[in-house]
Amino acid sequence: MKFCKVLLNGEVLFSKARMMETFFERLSGLMFKKNIGCNALVFKDCASIHSFFCIVIFNALFIGKDGKILNHFTKIPKNKILPSVFGAKYLIEYLNEPVKISDNDIIEIVEL
């Protein structure tokens, strides 16, 4: 299991995010989970998601290769297919309240 930090404009947004690297980690994501044991899940090279078999409401940030936020989906209910976000380099799925972001915010992933 590999972890990272997620920074928003240089400030720590998620201090303990889990990098989802293996096929099974990426396949399962938030499916069937109530607790993820960290602040967020980070997927590299992921441009689309669904919420089938998810039992929690969650949020998703799609990040471009330059760190700009391409799209922010909030309070995603179960059994939804979200539109693809072309150009996404990272996807960050997180629980709790949606993060407040603005147009010029930059996200950085720092591996631990």
Side-chain angles (χ1 to χ4, degrees), residues 63-100:
I63 312 302
K65 65 181 179 181
D66 56 0
K68 290 190 178 180
I69 299 168
L70 301 177
N71 212 330
H72 187 202
F73 295 98
T74 59
K75 299 183 180 181
I76 302 165
K78 58 184 175 180
N79 301 322
K80 292 289 181 189
I81 298 174
L82 294 165
S84 294
V85 179
F86 296 103
K89 180 69 175 171
Y90 290 100
L91 160 67
I92 302 169
E93 294 179 345
Y94 65 97
L95 307 178
N96 302 326
E97 288 302 308
V99 174
K100 305 265 190 264

Side-chain angles (χ1 to χ4, degrees), residues 1-2 5 18 22 48 50 57 66 68 70-71 79 92-93 96 103 106 108 112:
M1 216 179 309
K2 203 172 182 183
K5 285 185 198 178
R18 182 175 171 192
T22 69
S48 63
H50 66 80
I57 293 173
D66 56 0
K68 290 190 178 180
L70 301 177
N71 212 330
N79 301 322
I92 302 169
E93 294 179 345
N96 302 326
D103 290 340
I106 299 293
E108 186 181 352
L112 301 177

Side-chain angles (χ1 to χ4, degrees), residues 2-6 14-19 38-42 92 109-110 112:
K2 203 172 182 183
F3 290 95
C4 64
K5 285 185 198 178
V6 177
F14 301 115
S15 59
K16 185 181 177 187
R18 182 175 171 192
M19 295 291 293
C38 58
N39 304 118
L41 303 179
V42 177
I92 302 169
I109 311 293
V110 179
L112 301 177

Side-chain angles (χ1 to χ4, degrees), residues 20 22-31 33 43 50:
M20 306 301 277
T22 69
F23 173 77
F24 289 109
E25 285 175 337
R26 291 173 64 85
L27 177 69
S28 64
L30 286 172
M31 293 191 314
K33 294 180 179 86
F43 299 81
H50 66 80

